[in-house]
Amino acid sequence: MKFVIIGGDAAGMSAASRAKRNIPDLEVTVLERSSDVSYSACGMPYNIADPNREIDDLVVRHAEVFRKKQGIDLRTGYRVDEINAGEKTVVGEYNKGKTFKVPYDKLLIATGASPIKPELPGFDLPGVFTLKNLEHGREIKTFIRSEDVKRAVIIGMGYIALEMCEALHARGLEVNMVKPRPTLLPWMPPDLVSLIQEELAIHGIGVNAGHEIERIESDNGTLKVVCTDLVLEGQMILVAIGVRPESSLAERAGIKLGPQGAIAVDRTLKTSDEDIYAAGDCADSYHVVTGEKTWVPLALRANRAGWAVADNLTGKKIELEGVAGSAVFKVFDLEVARTGLSVAEAKKFGFDPVEAVIRAQSRAHAHPGSTTIAVQMVGDRKSGRLLGAQLVGKEGAVHRVKAPAVALHAGMTVEAFSQCDLAYAPPFSPTWDPMLTAANQLLKKM
Amino acid sequence: MKFVIIGGDAAGMSAASRAKRNIPDLEVTVLERSSDVSYSACGMPYNIADPNREIDDLVVRHAEVFRKKQGIDLRTGYRVDEINAGEKTVVGEYNKGKTFKVPYDKLLIATGASPIKPELPGFDLPGVFTLKNLEHGREIKTFIRSEDVKRAVIIGMGYIALEMCEALHARGLEVNMVKPRPTLLPWMPPDLVSLIQEELAIHGIGVNAGHEIERIESDNGTLKVVCTDLVLEGQMILVAIGVRPESSLAERAGIKLGPQGAIAVDRTLKTSDEDIYAAGDCADSYHVVTGEKTWVPLALRANRAGWAVADNLTGKKIELEGVAGSAVFKVFDLEVARTGLSVAEAKKFGFDPVEAVIRAQSRAHAHPGSTTIAVQMVGDRKSGRLLGAQLVGKEGAVHRVKAPAVALHAGMTVEAFSQCDLAYAPPFSPTWDPMLTAANQLLKKM
């Protein structure tokens, strides 16, 4: 069997490696358009923060290892332009104008996602960046090193924007953030958002929410983000307003798409074409809370889905239940974590959501070093089910969220969660963990 | 209704406060033999570690607050000697020889547990301590302040022993631990134990396992722990070999006992007597993995059980599902966590246990500050169920264990757990959280 994979990042290389491990003499070909494979994309902000590390430190496994040790036919610089699902081939270009045509028995589309750039003037000027692949990281790192960058403007206020805010601040830059929508992290309750706002203020980050952006201008080496009512200046601009699934190849091949244009896959990662799988940021997934399709482009899902594809086409049947919408990030000294549905999402999916928002201490009564931790918990009044949780705090927020994430997979009620034996010792929490306090408060409202 | 509570610590005061909150004009009487109520017993090692803090900092709520603000008839210095279940009274002594007799409609026994002292010579010498209640903590703190304590011997190597090891080391003492059984933490796999042993060695703690203790001797202000093949010296000795439930009052009243002599209670915390409840360290509980009775004297259960008693006798029916055997502690820079069953326990309860033990990194590839985290995961070959997990590491071990704890409450399989969306960001874990890596390894063995 000939297994061909388009894309050599998390999902693609996970699938390639595991397929070869499952069946060592399987023919596995990976076609990767860039020169980078298997790197920690999520690590880029932290790498950029540190002038003493090279961006290539983020490479987890080099192309030669895949080729020589694992026997994978890994071709970098190979851009696929068309999938011919009828004749089961992919065609494209390599080495500046040479064309290739590769036949497959089974195909995996793992083309990832690409950063969104608005269709506005000036977004293609030098010094305006996005950050999704290693080449982007390399460009940003080189730019900061070679240019006299003192101020940066970040357009967007999501995970990447906030992580890059910390990274650029660590490099000594003055950082301003800006976006059209009026609130930072609109999915989060105000009492949690305010902790993040305080943290950004402490570090002198400009948070300019609610400013419609008109264009970027260049003025003697200074870039200006011109909004309807505000102008922000800097030597570099990062556009971090989100990503979209790279599903155009699939779409042109007649494969069905799901939410937000991601490639629709079933629980075995198969697309609407019997011989074509999709995995990673280009593909959709089921949400374990709603049971509906969703699109969550995150690394764990990409790796897991890559493995599942390899298992499924080498004879082990694997069905992935889905994602819980868990996401975590760090911004300066704060940990931010979420899993499941926000109140607005819960309403959209027909639940009758109730929320409790509490502030608690991260450690026991009278234990030194305790800090504030804020928890939101959302439940469904009709069924009693736990629907989601969000946490913000200086310690323990990220690892704590794994508990409600498991509860969401198990379809637990808030009452059942409130009875869980979450353990206690004074350096780590009050006797009632803040999540239990939130669950107890939520129960009263349900 | 007259609600009488014997014991004014976690379970007793939780029940008293909540009962008054539920029904403000309920008559609630608490009979506490010592002068201390409502304090963080688990915080004692950390308080002892700090010469600048008073032991009374651990008091969460003072007796006067319970009396005046909450209207609880809280009587300290009242020792109950007998429960007359027939006539529904309790009798005892207060104020040096005066007797009292208090009638009840509903009674809660919340007498806690007491530290075990072996029946060997010298264990009652001055300078030999146990640590369970605030008075013990006070004595130890005063002793360290007033005496010229340079070396301490700790008999026992459980949670309290290890926490006190760190506390006494922080006070500048040389610390030796000793116990008869040959291994430190016998319920833990050797690969996890070795991390703890390294940590103790780094801090110069003497770990003397496998030495039968014969007696304690006093020799010119120096205490000697004399073993069959070893003598350890110090100015103070802490006996931390475990606790036993304070169930003698209940037993004499004809109430049924459960495992290890703890008072047997049903899921509503009712004893074999219709009008008598028991909660806290003196009472047993159900184990959510085995479905059988167990005795786990820990603070969260005590608080939760206290609340449940109050709810049940004020008209809200609450059934506590049980404990998962979750326990966490810190020893120097290491976090130690467990939930569910060890392999030996699983065998004892008729499971067919399989374990995976892995070492992983606490942070992502190439992320600075990463440390080793070791995980054991135990599953049942017959049913596929997750049975337990243990973690040791410098960061994230304690909060991580809450995820498998929830999975145990939900009766999840290892496969279902392995599919959970546990979230990932580089400062907090590799893409596959160490728990998922352990679950994936375990699946291969099942």
Side-chain angles (χ1 to χ4, degrees), chain B residues 86-154:
Chain B
E87 63 170 43
K88 296 177 73 172
T89 58
V90 297
V91 296
E93 197 180 294
Y94 72 110
N95 207 358
K96 294 171 192 160
K98 291 190 181 167
T99 57
F100 66 84
K101 182 177 200 172
V102 175
Y104 65 81
D105 295 310
K106 299 284 177 187
L107 179 70
L108 168 61
I109 307 173
T111 41
S114 53
I116 298 170
K117 269 198 182 187
E119 300 276 336
L120 291 171
F123 276 71
D124 50 358
L125 284 168
V128 181
F129 299 95
T130 56
L131 181 65
K132 174 66 183 158
N133 61 42
L134 201 62
E135 189 52 31
H136 296 145
R138 207 174 270 129
E139 285 164 11
I140 292 173
K141 203 142 189 177
T142 306
F143 190 83
I144 297 174
R145 267 184 192 157
S146 60
E147 307 292 321
D148 185 26
V149 183
K150 293 201 164 56
R151 287 201 287 182
V153 181
I154 298 176

Side-chain angles (χ1 to χ4, degrees), chain A residues 14 18 21 40 42-44 46 50 53 57-61 163 296 298-301 303-304 307 317-330 334-336 338-339 362 364-368 395-407 409-410 412 415-429 431-433 435-436 440 444, chain B residues 14 18 21 40 42-44 46 50 53 57-61 163 296 298-301 303-304 307 317-330 334-336 338-339 362 364-368 395-407 409-410 412 415-429 431-433 435-436 440 444:
Chain A
S14 293
R18 193 163 172 107
R21 218 164 31 242
S40 171
C42 307
M44 289 194 291
Y46 304 97
D50 183 352
R53 287 170 62 204
D57 286 0
L58 294 171
V59 174
V60 178
R61 205 176 293 170
E163 287 174 348
V296 180
L298 290 174
L300 174 60
R301 165 73 186 184
N303 281 270
R304 187 176 262 147
W307 278 18
K317 186 161 162 100
I318 298 285
E319 298 209 340
L320 294 188
E321 205 195 338
V323 299
S326 306
V328 298
F329 64 94
K330 178 175 168 294
L334 275 188
E335 302 182 5
V336 184
R338 68 169 294 186
T339 191
S362 65
H365 170 79
H367 199 90
E395 54 181 7
V398 161
H399 292 307
R400 271 189 174 95
V401 87
K402 294 168 185 177
V406 170
H409 278 270
M412 260 189 180
E415 187 172 5
F417 182 78
S418 80
Q419 287 210 14
C420 284
D421 187 4
L422 297 190
Y424 154 68
F428 305 108
S429 67
T431 314
W432 293 93
D433 189 272
M435 292 188 297
L436 296 176
N440 288 334
K444 285 187 198 165
Chain B
S14 292
R18 193 163 172 107
R21 219 166 28 243
S40 171
C42 308
M44 288 194 292
Y46 304 95
D50 183 353
R53 287 170 62 203
D57 287 359
L58 294 171
V59 174
V60 178
R61 205 175 295 169
E163 287 174 347
V296 179
L298 290 174
L300 174 59
R301 166 73 186 184
N303 281 270
R304 187 176 262 148
W307 277 17
K317 186 161 163 97
I318 299 286
E319 297 209 341
L320 294 188
E321 206 195 338
V323 299
S326 306
V328 299
F329 63 96
K330 178 176 167 297
L334 275 189
E335 301 182 6
V336 184
R338 69 170 294 187
T339 190
S362 65
H365 169 79
H367 199 89
E395 54 181 6
V398 161
H399 293 307
R400 270 190 175 94
V401 86
K402 294 167 185 177
V406 170
H409 278 269
M412 259 189 182
E415 188 172 3
F417 183 77
S418 79
Q419 287 210 14
C420 284
D421 187 4
L422 298 189
Y424 154 68
F428 305 108
S429 67
T431 314
W432 293 93
D433 190 90
M435 293 189 295
L436 296 175
N440 288 335
K444 285 187 199 165

Side-chain angles (χ1 to χ4, degrees), chain B residues 11-344:
Chain B
M13 295 319 298
S14 292
S17 293
R18 193 163 172 107
K20 285 299 275 187
R21 219 166 28 243
N22 289 353
I23 303 184
D25 60 357
L26 192 77
E27 267 187 80
V28 179
T29 301
V30 179
L31 306 166
E32 165 57 42
R33 118 182 115 169
S34 79
S35 57
D36 302 307
V37 293
S38 182
Y39 55 90
S40 171
C42 308
M44 288 194 292
Y46 304 95
N47 182 290
I48 290 167
D50 183 353
N52 299 316
R53 287 170 62 203
E54 296 302 320
I55 201 82
D56 288 283
D57 287 359
L58 294 171
V59 174
V60 178
R61 205 175 295 169
H62 287 273
E64 282 310 291
V65 178
F66 289 109
R67 288 180 189 128
K68 294 192 176 153
K69 291 215 173 155
Q70 296 183 256
I72 294 165
D73 174 18
L74 167 57
R75 308 185 196 173
T76 50
Y78 275 63
R79 190 192 71 220
V80 174
D81 293 324
E82 218 65 57
I83 300 165
N84 297 313
E87 63 170 43
K88 296 177 73 172
T89 58
V90 297
V91 296
E93 197 180 294
Y94 72 110
N95 207 358
K96 294 171 192 160
K98 291 190 181 167
T99 57
F100 66 84
K101 182 177 200 172
V102 175
Y104 65 81
D105 295 310
K106 299 284 177 187
L107 179 70
L108 168 61
I109 307 173
T111 41
S114 53
I116 298 170
K117 269 198 182 187
E119 300 276 336
L120 291 171
F123 276 71
D124 50 358
L125 284 168
V128 181
F129 299 95
T130 56
L131 181 65
K132 174 66 183 158
N133 61 42
L134 201 62
E135 189 52 31
H136 296 145
R138 207 174 270 129
E139 285 164 11
I140 292 173
K141 203 142 189 177
T142 306
F143 190 83
I144 297 174
R145 267 184 192 157
S146 60
E147 307 292 321
D148 185 26
V149 183
K150 293 201 164 56
R151 287 201 287 182
V153 181
I154 298 176
I155 299 175
M157 298 188 187
Y159 310 154
I160 305 293
L162 287 164
E163 287 174 347
M164 279 302 292
C165 182
E166 181 185 343
L168 297 177
H169 181 270
R171 295 295 294 263
L173 275 66
E174 184 189 323
V175 183
N176 265 295
M177 308 175 86
V178 62
K179 72 165 188 173
R181 290 175 74 179
T183 47
L184 180 68
L185 304 170
W187 44 267
M188 185 173 265
D191 202 46
L192 274 64
V193 173
S194 70
L195 287 173
I196 300 173
Q197 277 168 325
E198 283 165 30
E199 187 72 10
L200 292 169
I202 286 167
H203 292 87
I205 305 298
V207 179
N208 306 280
H211 300 275
E212 198 64 48
I213 294 145
E214 293 188 334
R215 64 186 178 281
I216 299 173
E217 289 177 2
S218 177
D219 181 5
N220 283 327
T222 297
L223 293 164
K224 293 182 180 180
V225 178
V226 181
C227 307
T228 42
D229 54 352
L230 181 80
V231 176
L232 293 166
E233 295 186 357
Q235 290 76 42
M236 74 170 278
I237 293 168
L238 178 73
V239 184
I241 58 174
V243 293
R244 61 165 65 94
E246 279 275 16
S247 55
S248 58
L249 267 182
E251 192 177 15
R252 290 202 306 278
I255 291 167
K256 285 196 187 134
L257 302 187
Q260 294 176 69
I263 303 169
V265 293
D266 65 11
R267 287 195 166 81
T268 68
L269 286 311
K270 200 174 271 184
T271 67
S272 56
D273 183 304
E274 183 63 24
D275 297 311
I276 303 180
Y277 292 82
D281 291 359
C282 63
D284 69 3
S285 55
Y286 285 93
H287 196 295
V288 295
V289 180
T290 65
E292 305 282 329
K293 281 299 190 75
T294 186
W295 181 57
V296 179
L298 290 174
L300 174 59
R301 166 73 186 184
N303 281 270
R304 187 176 262 148
W307 277 17
V309 169
D311 284 348
N312 279 320
L313 62 78
T314 56
K316 291 189 207 173
K317 186 161 163 97
I318 299 286
E319 297 209 341
L320 294 188
E321 206 195 338
V323 299
S326 306
V328 299
F329 63 96
K330 178 176 167 297
V331 53
F332 296 102
D333 295 330
L334 275 189
E335 301 182 6
V336 184
R338 69 170 294 187
T339 190
L341 306 180
S342 68
V343 170

